[in-house]
Amino acid sequence: MGLIIGSHVGMSGKQMLVGSVKEALSYKANTFMFYTGAPQNTRRKPISELRVDEAKALMQENGIDMDHVVVHAPYIINLGNTIKPETYALAVDFLAQEIERVDEIGAKTLVLHPGAHVKGGIEAGLDSIVKGLNTVLKEDQGCTIALETMAGKGTELGTDFDQLKYIIDHVALSDKLGLCLDTCHLNDAGYDINDFDSILDEVDAKVGLGRVKVIHVNDSKNPRGAHKDRHENIGYGTIGFEALNNVVHHPRLENVPKILETPYIEDVAPYGEEIDMLRKQVFNPHLKEKIIK
């Protein structure tokens, strides 16, 4: 099948999802990730206004498989909040709508930050996430919820595979759940990306490697275990190019989409250059200067 790699792309203006596909193609990507609306609020256009059929036609013409396209749920969804019932209720309601929207679009993977316990305690937070997922998941839904590995900033949950296993084990429709491994988050949570096989072995032992639906490929501005979550461009952070290149080309993850979420360089998207580097498996130490020029 070859390397399945792309990045986060925008979706706005008159072009909508057609614009997302065009942006991905401009990076020579064969997959991409998008939000169905702004990640910080609940305002959403009807799917009928997103130009989905035109976007799918453009994807088909250019070899992008809809099954590899990823949707990211908005950040404001927090199923782990037991302190404010209204926040939890909003999260459940909005996630249920988002699942319906993703199914209507036809994407197969919806990435979700598991949630934060906001000082309600880890156990209470995890149980709240389980309760929320048991409320929203449906037998007939087409998409899988990929729970993202988190850095452990504040009271974030999902920072280790025991927590993620707990959620999966206690959700009734666990076949609707998968994982999104984020390299920056794993690093900042304390995992060693240089020993990625050990990470995959732990994933396989605790939840099954088949649950890994997407990889977020990001370097980190922080040392391992910092619990900070600050992404850096590929090869410019504390993880380094060699370790990230190993993740991207790992034979155990060959059919899993790899998505870049690295920072813009002086308002310029670096994704085309970074994808090219990872395809060629050669680090360009002048990447930032090249993009700024």
Side-chain angles (χ1 to χ4, degrees):
M1 184 181 289
L3 182 60
I4 306 164
I5 190 165
S7 70
H8 169 251
V9 295
M11 184 181 68
S12 61
K14 292 180 180 176
Q15 294 264 303
M16 299 311 294
L17 196 56
V18 174
S20 304
V21 178
K22 287 180 177 176
E23 184 181 344
L25 293 173
S26 77
Y27 306 141
K28 295 184 168 56
N30 55 7
T31 185
F32 60 92
M33 182 178 77
F34 69 103
Y35 294 88
T36 72
Q40 307 91 347
N41 63 52
T42 57
R43 291 194 295 277
R44 292 291 180 270
K45 288 180 182 289
I47 299 300
S48 59
E49 293 181 20
L50 301 190
R51 299 179 64 179
V52 174
D53 289 342
E54 292 171 77
K56 285 180 178 176
L58 187 60
M59 287 163 57
Q60 195 166 9
E61 285 169 29
N62 290 278
I64 296 179
D65 189 335
M66 190 67 191
D67 286 355
H68 298 153
V69 171
V70 179
V71 180
H72 201 305
Y75 304 135
I76 53 170
I77 292 175
N78 183 9
L79 295 175
N81 193 329
T82 59
I83 306 299
K84 291 187 175 178
E86 64 275 20
T87 301
Y88 171 81
L90 169 78
V92 169
D93 182 54
F94 197 33
L95 181 56
Q97 289 179 45
E98 200 69 1
I99 290 169
E100 288 181 6
R101 288 168 64 79
V102 172
D103 279 353
E104 198 176 338
I105 289 167
K108 301 299 183 196
T109 305
L110 175 61
V111 172
L112 176 70
H113 291 182
H117 64 74
V118 288
K119 299 183 180 175
I122 291 172
E123 194 175 333
L126 291 172
D127 286 336
S128 183
I129 293 166
V130 168
K131 178 184 165 190
L133 289 169
N134 277 330
T135 303
V136 300
L137 296 178
K138 301 285 184 283
E139 286 272 13
D140 61 350
Q141 76 182 57
C143 68
T144 297
I145 304 290
L147 300 170
E148 185 167 346
T149 57
M150 302 307 292
K153 185 176 63 176
T155 64
E156 280 178 344
L157 297 164
T159 57
D160 62 50
F161 296 113
D162 289 319
Q163 290 183 3
L164 293 162
K165 173 178 166 57
Y166 182 89
I167 295 167
I168 291 168
D169 285 352
H170 289 83
V171 168
L173 297 177
S174 61
D175 60 312
K176 304 297 182 186
L177 295 177
L179 288 186
C180 167
L181 305 183
D182 185 303
T183 55
C184 171
H185 296 176
L186 286 168
N187 173 81
D188 286 22
Y191 289 92
D192 185 359
I193 305 300
N194 285 289
D195 189 13
F196 197 60
D197 273 301
S198 293
I199 294 173
L200 294 183
D201 288 345
E202 185 178 349
V203 171
D204 202 23
K206 289 179 176 172
V207 299
L209 207 54
R211 287 197 189 269
V212 179
K213 302 301 179 185
V214 58
I215 310 289
H216 285 170
V217 184
N218 302 299
D219 215 323
S220 175
K221 291 182 185 290
N222 304 291
R224 182 154 60 97
H227 303 296
K228 289 278 176 69
D229 185 11
R230 291 177 67 225
H231 297 187
E232 179 57 284
N233 294 99
I234 303 301
Y236 281 82
T238 58
I239 300 172
F241 182 80
E242 191 177 334
L244 292 170
N245 185 61
N246 176 53
V247 170
V248 166
H249 293 278
H250 203 289
R252 294 166 78 182
L253 301 169
E254 186 180 3
N255 300 323
V256 178
K258 319 300 189 301
I259 300 290
L260 294 160
E261 301 176 305
T262 50
Y264 276 40
I265 299 168
E266 293 198 5
D267 298 325
V268 180
Y271 305 127
E273 301 290 344
E274 289 181 324
I275 287 169
D276 185 57
M277 273 199 314
L278 290 165
R279 279 217 174 95
K280 292 174 178 172
Q281 303 195 58
V282 178
F283 177 57
N284 176 7
H286 306 295
L287 172 80
K288 292 196 175 186
E289 297 99 300
K290 184 178 179 182
I291 287 174
I292 291 166
K293 285 177 186 174

